[in-house]
């Protein structure tokens, strides 16, 4: 078992990552996004995309991590090996070089670099940088959450399912038909939006799991529900959300305690008026999930 990082060590690594993201990584995403970039590869299917920039950025982050923190393990979306373990007990960087690759290709300004660190199976550092909007969200366990240099401290507002805006994503798994995850997701969306169902205020789809979770952290959205993501999509945002008073549970009913790589998630904001609002929101939401998502 590797040595556990202390709160002070986590804070220092967080600060180091902020400088690295601003100087070395952000400009690459900013300059290459959209019409200046016209070739990409398809991974699992026609809508699971990767560019040379994803690979280049991951290589740079891995080099940074190995040179500065050789004792911390590394998992990256684009260099994952088949036998990679996700128990995440030892300190481990969990990296998505570009989260929102489809946005990145299309020039929609919601792509970001997401660098998390997990230890003891929990997210303990999170840095998410969207250079197009100049938004750098960051946090480490016990040290608070920030957007750029400002602490995230959202105003109190009653959290209720009916009066919520929720982030949903189609994701890249699009297998249609009875009993598929795709069908269950869209049946759930319909029930949440419908005047015969929860009749929530609305939904938003940002195309990046990390950005969705960060926007829940600052209270732009009340919640975000998704199935199909991986640990690198959520680890950094999860730490930021926890430090901002929010919570992540599983996407399926009853999943109160989940591993980082659970694959389905429900993220809920802080800024509560009453302490029990989060739990009630989660129970209410789960009541509309149309069949368990399976990955
Ligand atoms: C994807 C985005 C998208 C989510 C997918 C992710 P990528 O990550 O976060 O919003 O719906 O599940 O895979 O491929 O852009 O790194």
């Amino acid at each position: 078992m590797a040595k556990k990082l202390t709160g002070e060590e986590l804070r220092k690594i967080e600060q180091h990552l902020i400088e690295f993201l601003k100087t070395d990584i952000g400009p690459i995403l900013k300059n290459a996004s959209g019409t200046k970039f016209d070739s990409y590869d398809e991974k699992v299917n026609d809508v699971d995309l990767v560019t040379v920039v994803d690979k280049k950025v991951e290589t740079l982050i891995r080099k940074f991590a190995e040179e500065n923190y050789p004792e911390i393990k590394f998992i990256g979306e684009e260099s994952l090996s088949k036998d990679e373990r996700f128990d995440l007990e030892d300190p481990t960087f969990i990296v998505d070089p570009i989260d929102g690759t489809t946005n990145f290709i299309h020039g929609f300004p919601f792509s970001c670099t997401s660098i998390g660190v997990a230890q003891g199976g929990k997210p303990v550092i999170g840095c998410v940088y969207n250079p197009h909007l100049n938004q750098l969200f960051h946090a480490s366990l016990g040290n608070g959450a920030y957007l750029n240099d400002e602490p995230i401290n959202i105003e109190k507002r009653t959290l209720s399912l009916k009066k919520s805006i929720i982030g949903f994503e189609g994701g890249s798994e699009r297998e249609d038909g009875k009993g598929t995850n795709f069908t269950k997701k869209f049946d759930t969306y319909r029930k949440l939006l419908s005047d015969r169902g929860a009749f929530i205020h609305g939904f938003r789809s940002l195309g990046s799991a990390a950005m969705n979770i960060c926007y829940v952290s600052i209270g732009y959205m009340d919640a975000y529900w998704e199935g199909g993501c991986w640990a690198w999509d959520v680890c950094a945002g999860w730490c930021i959300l926890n430090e901002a008073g929010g919570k992540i549970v599983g996407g399926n009913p009853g999943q109160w305690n989940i591993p980082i790589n659970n694959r389905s998630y429900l993220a809920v904001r802080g800024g509560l008026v009453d302490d029990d609002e989060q739990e009630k929101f989660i129970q209410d939401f789960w009541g509309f999930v149309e069949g368990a998502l399976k990955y």
Side-chain angles (χ1 to χ4, degrees):
M1 173 99 182
K3 188 180 149 294
K4 212 173 157 212
L5 299 164
T6 65
E8 186 52 21
E9 284 169 329
L10 296 176
R11 201 186 57 75
K12 282 192 182 147
I13 299 170
E14 176 193 346
Q15 293 306 318
H16 198 182
L17 286 171
I18 292 170
E19 289 315 310
F20 171 65
L21 280 167
K22 280 203 235 171
T23 55
D24 293 27
I25 300 297
I28 299 178
L29 263 71
K30 194 164 176 172
N31 293 330
S33 173
T35 50
K36 293 176 210 132
F37 189 81
D38 59 7
S39 93
Y40 51 84
D41 289 327
E42 291 147 6
K43 295 195 283 187
V44 176
N45 63 25
D46 295 359
V47 293
D48 185 17
L49 310 179
V50 64
T51 70
V52 288
V53 187
D54 297 65
K55 293 175 187 166
K56 174 180 165 184
V57 169
E58 182 158 317
T59 303
L60 288 172
I61 301 173
R62 185 185 275 273
K63 188 165 174 282
F64 167 89
E66 285 171 356
E67 278 174 10
N68 294 287
Y69 305 101
E71 69 287 3
I72 304 182
K73 294 178 179 172
F74 187 97
I75 292 179
E77 174 175 16
E78 309 307 341
S79 54
L80 182 79
S81 77
K82 280 207 181 98
D83 55 359
E84 209 79 67
R85 290 166 58 103
F86 281 100
D87 57 30
L88 307 174
E89 279 305 315
D90 291 338
T92 308
F93 283 107
I94 306 182
V95 172
D96 192 342
I98 303 181
D99 186 49
T101 302
T102 306
N103 288 340
F104 175 74
I105 290 166
H106 287 260
F108 186 72
F110 280 81
S111 59
C112 58
T113 298
S114 174
I115 306 182
V117 174
Q119 88 177 348
K122 307 272 178 229
V124 291
I125 297 178
C127 294
V128 173
Y129 186 30
N130 175 337
H132 318 293
L133 303 179
N134 190 28
Q135 291 181 329
L136 205 165
F137 297 86
H138 56 99
S140 55
L141 183 67
N143 296 318
Y146 293 79
L147 168 52
N148 297 330
D149 296 327
E150 293 295 318
I152 298 175
N153 195 1
I154 61 176
E155 240 172 74
K156 290 189 177 179
R157 202 161 23 102
T158 303
L159 175 69
S160 80
L161 184 63
K162 187 160 169 47
K163 295 183 177 168
S164 63
I165 286 183
I166 303 182
F168 299 146
E169 294 290 336
S172 57
E173 191 186 309
R174 309 273 178 88
E175 199 192 337
D176 209 348
K178 201 167 182 293
T180 64
N181 288 324
F182 182 75
T183 303
K184 289 175 194 167
K185 273 176 148 184
F186 278 84
D187 287 349
T188 303
Y189 300 160
R190 190 177 55 75
K191 278 173 69 179
L192 286 161
L193 291 167
S194 152
D195 64 352
R196 295 195 212 163
F199 207 9
I200 63 169
H201 278 182
F203 77 103
R204 303 289 179 266
S205 188
L206 304 181
S208 153
M211 289 302 297
N212 277 304
I213 299 171
C214 287
Y215 275 25
V216 174
S217 305
I218 52 171
Y220 282 3
M221 300 193 292
D222 299 284
Y224 160 60
W225 180 70
E226 167 138 37
C229 301
W230 295 88
W232 47 79
D233 296 310
V234 299
C235 179
W238 193 334
C239 179
I240 294 160
L241 179 64
N242 279 349
E243 288 295 312
K247 189 178 180 65
I248 292 194
V249 295
N252 289 327
Q255 297 184 319
W256 288 105
N257 291 302
I258 54 165
I260 296 179
N261 201 40
N262 193 58
R263 307 291 318 278
S264 78
Y265 308 89
L266 172 61
V268 184
R269 71 165 168 84
L272 311 173
V273 175
D274 288 321
D275 289 350
D276 60 1
E277 284 169 5
Q278 255 170 4
E279 192 177 325
K280 172 143 184 11
F281 183 98
I282 292 165
Q283 295 277 23
D284 288 349
F285 186 98
W286 278 341
F288 287 92
V289 174
E290 191 60 24
L293 300 169
K294 291 193 189 118
Y295 294 97

